[in-house]
Amino acid sequence: MSQNVKRVLVSGGAGYIGSHVTVELIEAGYDVVVADNLSNCDMTCFEGVKKITGRNDIPFEMIDCCNAPHVEGLFSKYKIDAVIHFAAFKAVGESVAEPIKYYKNNLISFLNILDAAKNHGGCNVLFSSSATVYGETDKLPVTEESPRQPAMCSYGATKQICEDILADVVRATSAYGDTVNAGTSALGPVKGIALRYFNPIGAHPSALIGELPRGVPNNLVPYITQTAIGKRECLSIFGNDYPTPDGTCLRDYIDVVDLAKAHVAAVARMLDGKMKKNYEIFNVGTGRPVSVLELVTKFEKVNNLKLNYKFAPRREGDITAIWADTSLANKELGWKAERSLEDTLKSAWQWECHIAGK
Ligand code: UFG
């Protein structure tokens, strides 16, 4: 590869969002190294990435980011210009039951990445954060300035803590100089962006990569597609007595390919020296609230099928409504969500059919 091609390390790159981001990075001309310990996925999506991009030479490093020497080893082996850190556990309910598992994994892996980044001449670090950091708020849509509320689960707490760690490390390492000399063994500055995702859904239009939840899905769209294909009997819509137009919760569903493109825009901003501050935060959503019932109805319509669903009691911990003000990302990243909800819901169904072999 040419000396000028920038290399991006994608930790957790074999997973749902990581695989879509890997595709978009490669299509935008970056070199990518994928690191994953396959703790919550198999090689299905990585194989899909190779097919979509036609690239059989994408380096895959089977490492656990909680292993500091292994992370150090990665930074010694490759000259890394930017890191996108996805490697984390993400199940809300499990995090309530097993907080130590979540704090250990999500914090230590990120600390190891930041330590290695700082020790190898500095690096640009993009952290995969979540709208969960905002919690329940009256002022909608939420902007990046909206105050964060106390986390409702350990998963959410790890997102908040990792944002704070990144901000601290950026501040402390700025003393190491203005330029990032990735690949050297000297101390260097870390620059950071946190992207706060709203509700990522859908799959790549090729249907070769998508979400592969283990066990019973917690999230709405995988539950819908698994019900439609017959793996689940009936979708429960949690609560129809919320103070919303149709009584069901409102969310901002962002297409996973659009979300992936936001990462490419953020990486380019870091690598092209366009950041206005050394640590920046952007909401990544559509800016459009959609109710659970609306989403279900739309899924039925665009895919021409009937879904077995019923109304059920509210799910503990759910907030009534949240959606993004995306103007900062639109302006500063030159990015906006483009795929229609219809196309996203079609892609989710095509992916479910693909993995079911139909
Ligand atoms: N829902 C149902 N039935 C289901 C699953 C979900 O009605 O079987 C509803 C939920 O009650 C909610 C909406 O669909 O109103 C979306 O639920 P998801 O579980 O898909 O997503 P959440 O908004 O709960 O989760 C998001 C992110 C998480 C994050 C969480 C914090 O996906 O990463 O917000 O609350 F941690």
Side-chain angles (χ1 to χ4, degrees):
M1 285 294 145
S2 136
Q3 284 293 304
N4 297 326
V5 175
K6 301 287 188 190
R7 185 181 284 118
V8 184
L9 167 65
V10 183
S11 75
Y16 172 43
I17 302 175
S19 58
H20 287 82
V21 168
T22 300
V23 167
E24 296 304 318
L25 286 169
I26 289 171
E27 290 183 348
Y30 293 103
D31 274 353
V32 176
V33 178
V34 170
D36 208 302
N37 67 352
L38 303 180
S39 67
N40 196 32
C41 63
D42 56 22
M43 290 295 267
T44 306
C45 286
F46 188 67
E47 293 304 323
V49 168
K50 292 201 266 183
K51 276 199 196 121
I52 295 167
T53 58
R55 291 272 302 266
N56 270 315
D57 58 347
I58 307 164
F60 181 88
E61 299 284 347
M62 173 98 173
I63 70 150
D64 181 345
C65 293
C66 288
N67 183 319
H70 287 182
V71 175
E72 274 290 326
L74 259 188
F75 278 77
S76 300
K77 182 169 172 188
Y78 301 96
K79 177 183 171 293
I80 292 165
D81 299 290
V83 184
I84 306 182
H85 182 66
F86 293 108
F89 293 150
K90 60 172 187 177
V92 173
E94 186 187 44
S95 81
V96 175
E98 295 189 71
I100 295 173
K101 175 175 167 181
Y102 271 68
Y103 286 113
K104 258 193 182 171
N105 184 66
N106 293 8
L107 303 188
I108 292 173
S109 62
F110 194 42
L111 288 167
N112 287 342
I113 291 276
L114 291 171
D115 210 12
K118 163 194 96 157
N119 292 340
H120 289 262
C123 200
N124 298 287
V125 176
L126 199 165
F127 175 62
S128 158
S129 190
S130 165
T132 193
V133 302
Y134 294 116
E136 180 101 57
T137 167
D138 293 340
K139 222 172 145 245
L140 290 163
V142 287
T143 73
E144 291 78 359
E145 301 301 320
S146 301
R148 296 184 325 186
Q149 305 292 336
M152 293 168 80
C153 62
S154 301
Y155 159 79
T158 68
K159 292 295 174 194
Q160 294 183 334
I161 296 167
C162 284
E163 283 191 354
D164 294 343
I165 290 173
L166 181 55
D168 271 5
V169 171
V170 166
R171 181 190 41 73
T173 60
S174 63
Y176 297 142
D178 290 336
T179 50
V180 172
N181 300 303
T184 69
S185 57
L187 294 178
V190 171
K191 297 188 178 179
I193 290 183
L195 295 184
R196 291 178 176 162
Y197 315 154
F198 283 68
N199 287 55
I201 61 164
H204 194 266
S206 65
L208 291 170
I209 54 177
E211 194 169 4
L212 267 180
R214 289 206 165 147
V216 182
N218 295 306
N219 295 116
L220 179 60
V221 170
Y223 210 104
I224 290 177
T225 56
Q226 291 199 4
T227 306
I229 208 129
K231 277 193 206 161
R232 312 274 154 218
E233 235 170 65
C234 181
L235 169 78
S236 293
I237 294 183
F238 300 134
N240 62 346
D241 57 352
Y242 284 98
T244 60
D246 64 19
T248 66
C249 292
L250 299 172
R251 293 287 184 278
D252 184 338
Y253 296 95
I254 173 78
D255 180 88
V256 68
V257 176
D258 279 335
L259 174 63
K261 289 181 174 159
H263 291 73
V264 177
V267 163
R269 179 179 177 86
M270 295 196 283
L271 293 175
D272 298 346
K274 301 252 171 70
M275 294 173 76
K276 292 199 170 144
K277 289 179 288 176
N278 288 341
Y279 172 57
E280 297 179 319
I281 300 173
F282 298 103
N283 283 343
V284 187
T286 65
R288 173 191 59 202
V290 173
S291 79
V292 176
L293 195 55
E294 230 178 310
L295 195 90
V296 167
T297 313
K298 202 156 259 180
F299 179 86
E300 292 185 314
K301 185 160 174 242
V302 298
N303 294 310
N304 199 21
L305 45 80
K306 274 268 156 246
L307 199 70
N308 194 17
Y309 70 84
K310 62 172 191 234
F311 292 110
R314 292 180 179 196
R315 182 172 70 177
E316 202 187 327
D318 271 343
I319 57 174
T320 306
I322 187 159
W323 67 96
D325 180 326
T326 62
S327 42
L328 193 67
N330 299 157
K331 178 163 170 273
E332 293 296 329
L333 298 179
W335 166 92
K336 79 179 192 352
E338 279 169 354
R339 210 167 173 201
S340 69
L341 185 56
E342 285 79 1
D343 284 347
T344 303
L345 292 173
K346 275 188 205 163
S347 74
W349 178 233
Q350 280 155 7
W351 165 246
E352 185 69 55
C353 294
H354 170 76
I355 49 180
K358 291 191 181 170

